[in-house]
């Protein structure tokens, strides 16, 4: 391939070579989607280094992941077995309204609308007449969460997502992607070459001298944003004045009981904690603002409140709530942390 493949005058020519920089969840999800849909007509290469760690603490998802798997025709039983996944029908927010006051954000609809009016109007009239039950009783997913139950129903009758091991998920998607034609190259990126005429990315140069050329590049290099941020100079919009939490500590513990079908999000005075049950362990973490809680205090609070024997040492993470000014610049698209970060209160990141 020559550099002319990415010049503006050739811009209407179909892309043939896609290069994904970085693995992890973002990189392998991109590889899985592109290879499953276009693997027969595209040359797809993913570059990652086992020496570079991934954040890998994201263990909770939302129902869009179920849709993603259906589009890719991923077998759910195989996926759950490979990633030690459990079912999730919502998120329990504890102490958020006030200390001792909790609510469950469930994934389903509440009640059933009538052509004359929305369900809430009938519910309000029923409450006024003493006929209605609490509003949440009319949401199947909420009742399932409260009863610690789940079942697959006809016609997607219940909405759900998963808790999963992010590291195992990346490995699962790697096998899937390679089965659909994705080529993985092990190596560290030493330099990103651009076309001096138009600034488009030409190739990734690895430390061992390999040159990986492409027409479309996907930046999955995490917070470094090696392609979009460092090479193409796309800056960030800082959101930390709205979302002051900038630190997290994660730790894994042994399960102390059957997994529950929801994520726990537990508020504290400087942030919140998460508890995510998998088949083989529990993921735990504390998110906080370093201006309002120091690391030692956060670590002590986390270890004081977790259940089960520690499986890992607590891991400190720093982040900034932000968004790149553009997530698609020239011939580069950024995904995951390379495009920005939003404090994942609902597991949406």
């Amino acid at each position: 391939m020559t550099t002319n493949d990415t010049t503006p005058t050739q811009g209407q020519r179909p892309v043939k070579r896609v290069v994904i920089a970085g693995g992890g969840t973002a990189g392998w999800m991109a590889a899985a989607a592109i290879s499953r849909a276009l693997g027969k007509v595209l040359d797809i290469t993913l570059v990652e280094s086992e020496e570079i760690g991934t954040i890998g603490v994201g263990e909770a998802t939302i129902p869009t992941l179920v849709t993603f798997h259906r589009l890719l025709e991923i077998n759910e039983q195989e996926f759950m077995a490979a990633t030690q996944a459990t079912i999730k029908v919502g998120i329990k927010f504890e102490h958020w309204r006030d200390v001792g006051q909790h609510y469950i954000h469930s994934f389903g609809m509440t009640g059933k609308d009538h052509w004359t009016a929305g369900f809430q109007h009938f519910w309000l009239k029923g409450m006024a007449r003493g006929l209605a039950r609490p509003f949440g009783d009319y949401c199947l997913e909420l009742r399932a969460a409260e009863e610690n139950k789940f079942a697959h129903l006809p016609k997607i009758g219940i909405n759900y997502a998963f808790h999963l091991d992010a590291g195992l998920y990346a490995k699962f998607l790697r096998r899937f992607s390679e089965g659909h034609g994705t080529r993985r190259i092990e190596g560290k990126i030493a330099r990103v070459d651009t076309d001096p005429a138009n600034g488009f990315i030409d190739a990734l140069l690895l430390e061992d001298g390999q040159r990986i050329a492409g027409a479309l590049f996907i930046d999955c290099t995490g917070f470094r944003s090696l392609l979009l941020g460092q090479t193409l100079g796309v800056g960030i919009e800082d959101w930390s004045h709205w979302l002051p939490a900038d630190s997290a500590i994660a730790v894994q513990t042994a399960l102390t009981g059957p997994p529950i079908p929801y994520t726990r999000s537990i508020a504290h005075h400087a942030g919140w904690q998460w508890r995510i049950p998998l088949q083989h362990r529990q993921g735990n973490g504390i998110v906080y603002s370093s201006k309002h809680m120091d690391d030692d205090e956060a670590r002590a609070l986390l270890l004081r409140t977790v259940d089960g024997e520690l499986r890992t040492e607590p891991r400190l993470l720093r982040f900034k709530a932000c968004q790149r000014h553009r997530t698609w610049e020239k011939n580069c698209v950024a995904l995951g942390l390379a495009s920005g970060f939003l404090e994942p209160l609902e597991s949406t990141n």
Side-chain angles (χ1 to χ4, degrees), residues 60-116:
T61 65
I62 56 176
T64 47
L65 191 70
V66 177
T67 304
F68 179 73
H69 286 178
R70 287 177 180 146
L71 289 172
L72 271 58
E73 298 182 341
I74 286 176
N75 181 284
E76 188 169 285
Q77 290 180 321
E78 293 177 2
F79 150 74
M80 293 190 70
T83 63
Q84 295 293 297
T86 58
I87 294 293
K88 170 184 175 181
V89 294
I91 308 156
K92 185 176 183 181
F93 289 92
E94 303 178 25
H95 310 300
W96 283 83
R97 289 173 173 160
D98 200 350
V99 175
Q101 295 189 27
H102 319 312
Y103 66 95
I104 293 178
H105 170 80
S106 54
F107 290 149
M109 301 296 291
T110 301
K112 199 167 186 179
D113 293 343
H114 188 261
W115 68 269
T116 57

Side-chain angles (χ1 to χ4, degrees), residues 110-222:
T110 301
K112 199 167 186 179
D113 293 343
H114 188 261
W115 68 269
T116 57
F119 169 76
Q120 71 275 15
H121 298 292
F122 296 97
W123 178 78
L124 288 169
K125 182 66 70 173
M127 287 293 288
R129 295 183 178 182
L131 301 174
R133 296 173 60 87
F135 192 69
D137 282 2
Y138 299 92
C139 175
L140 180 59
E141 290 80 359
L142 177 61
R143 296 295 297 127
E146 292 174 337
E147 297 293 334
N148 291 339
K149 294 181 179 179
F150 173 79
H152 281 103
L153 301 179
K155 298 180 181 179
I156 316 177
I158 185 168
N159 295 285
Y160 64 98
F162 306 103
H163 302 124
L164 54 84
D165 184 305
L168 294 178
Y169 187 49
K171 292 178 181 178
F172 173 80
L173 290 178
R174 174 183 170 180
R175 293 191 296 271
F176 178 90
S177 303
E178 289 178 331
H180 285 87
T182 297
R183 180 172 62 117
R184 178 190 180 274
I185 295 179
E186 167 69 27
K188 287 185 178 180
I189 301 171
R191 191 179 75 230
V192 180
D193 288 343
T194 58
D195 186 333
N198 57 36
F200 279 47
I201 296 175
D202 274 341
L204 307 181
L205 186 67
L206 307 188
E207 287 185 349
D208 64 3
Q210 292 186 79
R211 187 174 188 273
I212 314 300
L216 175 66
F217 291 81
I218 301 178
D219 188 348
C220 298
T221 60

